[in-house]
Amino acid sequence: MLQNKAEFILTYNETLKDVLHSKDVDWSQSRVAFVSPSFTDNQISASDFKDFGIELWEIKQFENNTISINTIKKSSGAPSIKPLLENSDSLKEVKENIKVYTEEDHFSNGSDYIIELYEKFKSSILNLTDGIEIQPQKYYIAFKKGSNISDIEIQKKSLKVFINAKIGSLDDPKGLVKDVSNIGHRGNGDYQVQIENDKDLEYIMSLIKQVL
């Protein structure tokens, strides 16, 4: 795909009757998703690299037409794929174009104090309920349970916390959050709060919990 971007765009537009331009595609976020009822241990270990855009999805259908969807997570100690790509000409496009973001990529944006503040909010969000996943993106760090519930953008002197709710649906008696429904913003949802300390941490958690 990376070596044939024009053909990909043409196929996309012809298939979906759309008008997509190559410049509007973030090619660095290209992914390969394998879907199967199950994967072997060898298949899982072969894709277990923290910075390689391969995803494994287990999808099973049961007799009552119930469908279970489960993503195979990267292991906590997953290595980098980069050393294996150094001498591979065939994977040159992947090495030069694909970027899988990590939390550490965002830490360079903030001071030590802001990173510590992020860790506090991160821990509090993860404690709201079981099954919340962290997925760093290009501009923010997403917290997901099925879909995004909150996104955090790390800035030099503050955190921008986005709450993924439609305007008018959030109960905010303190009036702490800002309506960004008609303003360009990077995170998901119509609500944003700028954070410089943890004095409202518990209250902000009560707002995010409304999305669960």
Side-chain angles (χ1 to χ4, degrees), residues 85-128:
L85 302 181
E86 287 302 321
N87 299 315
S88 176
D89 291 335
S90 62
L91 292 177
K92 181 180 179 181
E93 293 286 342
V94 174
K95 180 176 64 176
E96 293 181 351
N97 289 283
I98 298 301
K99 172 66 177 175
V100 178
Y101 290 93
T102 66
E103 288 179 280
E104 288 72 21
D105 290 320
H106 294 270
F107 289 171
S108 61
N109 298 329
S111 64
D112 290 344
Y113 170 76
I114 292 301
I115 302 306
E116 183 180 342
L117 187 63
Y118 163 76
E119 292 291 350
K120 289 182 181 179
F121 275 83
K122 167 187 170 180
S123 178
S124 296
I125 293 174
L126 294 177
N127 285 331
L128 289 175

Side-chain angles (χ1 to χ4, degrees), residues 172-199:
D172 175 26
K174 289 187 178 182
L176 194 63
V177 294
K178 177 182 179 181
D179 174 6
V180 293
S181 58
N182 294 312
I183 302 174
H185 56 283
R186 290 170 170 170
N188 293 275
D190 292 341
Y191 293 99
Q192 172 198 306
V193 56
Q194 198 90 11
I195 298 169
E196 297 179 355
N197 54 60
D198 62 357
K199 68 183 181 71

Side-chain angles (χ1 to χ4, degrees), residues 24-74:
D24 297 324
V25 177
D26 185 357
W27 299 98
S28 71
Q29 295 300 283
S30 301
R31 298 288 182 269
V32 174
F34 290 96
V35 179
S36 174
S38 63
F39 294 96
T40 66
D41 290 341
N42 284 340
Q43 289 169 330
I44 293 173
S45 63
S47 63
D48 190 28
F49 295 96
K50 63 181 180 181
D51 51 3
F52 199 40
I54 288 182
E55 300 174 355
L56 303 183
W57 292 82
E58 285 187 342
I59 300 183
K60 299 179 181 180
Q61 183 173 9
F62 300 95
E63 291 183 358
N64 62 356
N65 288 326
T66 299
I67 296 176
S68 69
I69 302 175
N70 178 49
T71 178
I72 305 297
K73 298 179 182 179
K74 306 289 186 181

Side-chain angles (χ1 to χ4, degrees), residues 131-146:
I132 295 179
E133 298 181 5
I134 301 174
Q135 292 188 6
Q137 304 297 321
K138 187 173 185 177
Y139 296 112
Y140 57 80
I141 299 171
F143 293 82
K144 308 183 73 168
K145 187 173 174 62

Side-chain angles (χ1 to χ4, degrees), residues 193-207:
V193 56
Q194 198 90 11
I195 298 169
E196 297 179 355
N197 54 60
D198 62 357
K199 68 183 181 71
D200 292 311
L201 189 152
E202 290 187 12
Y203 179 75
I204 293 171
M205 290 305 110
S206 72
L207 299 177

